[in-house]
Amino acid sequence: MSDVKNAESAPGVEPVWDQGRSSRDEPKRQGMSGLFRGITGDWRAYAAVAAVALAIGFVNALSTADDIARRGGVYDFRTPLLWEMTSIAVILLLAPVILAAVRRIRTEARWPVGIALAIAAIVIFSAVHITGMVALRKLVLWLAGSAYDFRLSLTVVLYEFRKDVVTCLLIGGGMWLIESRRDARRSRTSGAPAIAGLPPAAPHMVWLRDGTTRIRIEPRDIVWISSAGNYVEYSLADGTNHLVRGTLAAAESQLARFNLARIHRTRLANLDRVTGMEMKPSGDFELTFDTGQTVQGSRRYRSAVASLDGSHVST
C-alpha cells in the first residue's frame, strides 16, 4: 500500500479463524481415522437416510407390483421388494462414503476442484451401487434356487446411472445441510464462523491456512490489516506480511474484541500497539506503532482512535 511504510511482503495464505489445529492437537471424534474420522458417530444422519430409503423402497415395490397386476400380470410384491431392498442395502453401506465426500468437498476452497470431486464421487457411487446390488440379487436368488440376469448393456447402465445421480445428489445434499447446521451451531457457540470439518475456535487465537499448511498467530501480534481486492493483508509485529483471501469486514467482525479498529475504508489498526498519532490539517491522521511502522487513517474514522491517550497526539 502506498501509505503504509516499512511493510514487507510474504507468501499469501488463506485465513481460517482459529478453526483448524494441527492433527495432533485436534480432538479426535469417535469412529474411523483419516478421511472417515467421525462418520460412525453420525447415527442421526444415517438413521434419517435409512428411514427415507426404506419408505421409498416399500412404496416403489408396492407401486411396481400394482402396475404389473394392472397390465394383466400376477400380483407379486416379493420380486420388486427384493430389487428395492438390495439397492437400498448398498446405498446404506455407501452412506459413510458419501458423508466423507461431502466433508471433503466442503473444505475445498477452489470450486473447480470441488465440482470435479463431486463428479468423481457420483461416478464411484454409481459404479459400486450397481455392482453391489447386482451381486446381492444374484446371491439371494442363487440361495433360493433361481438366477438373476442383469442384462448388462450401455442402455441399462445409463438408466441406472441416471437414477444414481439423483440419489447421490439427494443424499449428499441432505448431509450437506446437516453439516451446515452443525457448523452454524459451532459458530454460535464459539463466537467465530465455523469452517467445515474443523473444530470450534479458541477465543484468543487466529489461524491462517494455505491448503494443508496452517499458521497460528495471536491477535496482539497483528499490527495492521489492509484490504487488497479479494484479499486481506496481515502485517505482523515480526515484520512478516500474509496476503490471504477474505474480506476486511469479516476480519473486523472477528478482531474488534482485540482492539483492532477500522481507521480507513481499507484498513484496520491494532490500537494496543499505537505509540503515536499525528493529526493532519485535512483531518486525516497518521498512526505510529511500536514496530516503527506508520499508517494513514481517514478523518471519517477519527472516532475509532478517540480512546487513545492524549499524550500520543501531536499536531
Side-chain angles (χ1 to χ4, degrees):
M1 307 298 293
S2 59
D3 56 352
V4 179
K5 303 176 184 176
N6 306 318
E8 301 177 2
S9 61
V13 295
E14 182 183 350
V16 179
W17 297 105
D18 196 26
Q19 297 300 309
R21 303 188 179 106
S22 62
S23 58
R24 62 177 177 272
D25 292 332
E26 292 184 6
K28 295 184 179 180
R29 300 174 181 175
Q30 295 180 352
M32 303 179 187
S33 61
L35 179 64
F36 298 99
R37 178 179 298 168
I39 60 176
T40 55
D42 297 286
W43 61 270
R44 289 187 180 89
Y46 302 143
V49 171
V52 173
L54 289 172
I56 293 175
F58 274 104
V59 171
N60 287 344
L62 289 170
S63 299
T64 301
D66 186 64
D67 288 341
I68 293 174
R70 288 176 181 272
R71 291 195 297 266
V74 178
Y75 184 89
D76 180 12
F77 175 67
R78 296 171 300 175
T79 300
L81 183 62
L82 173 62
W83 300 163
E84 295 292 336
M85 291 302 106
T86 50
S87 174
I88 290 172
V90 178
I91 290 174
L92 295 181
L93 289 175
L94 290 174
V97 180
I98 298 176
L99 180 56
V102 167
R103 287 177 173 168
R104 174 63 184 87
I105 295 170
R106 281 172 55 81
T107 60
E108 179 55 58
R110 298 163 296 179
W111 65 265
V113 178
I115 292 176
L117 290 173
I119 294 174
I122 291 174
V123 172
I124 294 172
F125 169 85
S126 181
V128 177
H129 175 236
I130 293 173
T131 303
M133 73 177 186
V134 170
L136 281 178
R137 292 172 185 178
K138 286 182 175 292
L139 176 62
V140 172
L141 290 178
W142 176 77
L143 293 174
S146 184
Y148 174 70
D149 182 10
F150 181 59
R151 298 179 181 177
L152 180 63
S153 67
L154 179 60
T155 301
V156 173
V157 170
L158 291 177
Y159 171 77
E160 294 293 340
F161 178 74
R162 182 187 64 187
K163 294 192 298 180
D164 286 342
V165 170
V166 176
T167 300
C168 197
L169 289 177
L170 288 175
I171 296 176
M175 289 179 171
W176 189 293
L177 291 176
I178 292 174
E179 290 291 296
S180 297
R181 289 175 60 87
R182 178 178 299 164
D183 290 342
R185 288 196 297 269
R186 289 174 180 167
S187 178
R188 289 193 296 268
T189 300
S190 65
I195 303 299
L198 297 175
H204 62 287
M205 298 298 295
V206 173
W207 282 86
L208 307 180
R209 185 180 68 183
D210 180 14
T212 59
T213 302
R214 296 180 177 89
I215 302 173
R216 185 173 67 177
I217 62 174
E218 296 205 24
R220 65 171 177 265
D221 293 331
I222 300 173
V223 181
W224 52 264
I225 305 173
S226 183
S227 65
N230 294 327
Y231 293 83
V232 178
E233 184 179 13
Y234 290 71
S235 177
L236 306 184
D238 62 3
T240 60
N241 286 17
H242 296 296
L243 188 64
V244 305
R245 180 175 290 276
T247 66
L248 194 65
E252 181 181 17
S253 66
Q254 296 306 318
L255 295 171
R257 65 184 185 275
F258 300 111
N259 210 20
L260 271 87
R262 188 183 289 260
I263 62 168
H264 189 273
R265 182 177 58 85
T266 62
R267 190 170 304 111
L268 308 177
N270 189 343
L271 301 186
D272 290 339
R273 305 195 72 104
V274 173
T275 58
M277 180 171 66
E278 180 182 356
M279 304 305 299
K280 304 293 185 180
S282 63
D284 295 341
F285 54 91
E286 183 178 82
L287 298 181
T288 301
F289 300 99
D290 55 7
T291 60
Q293 292 175 296
T294 60
V295 296
Q296 301 294 325
S298 170
R299 62 180 180 272
R300 177 182 175 187
Y301 296 95
R302 285 183 61 177
S303 60
V305 297
S307 61
L308 293 177
D309 189 88
S311 61
H312 292 165
V313 180
S314 60
T315 58

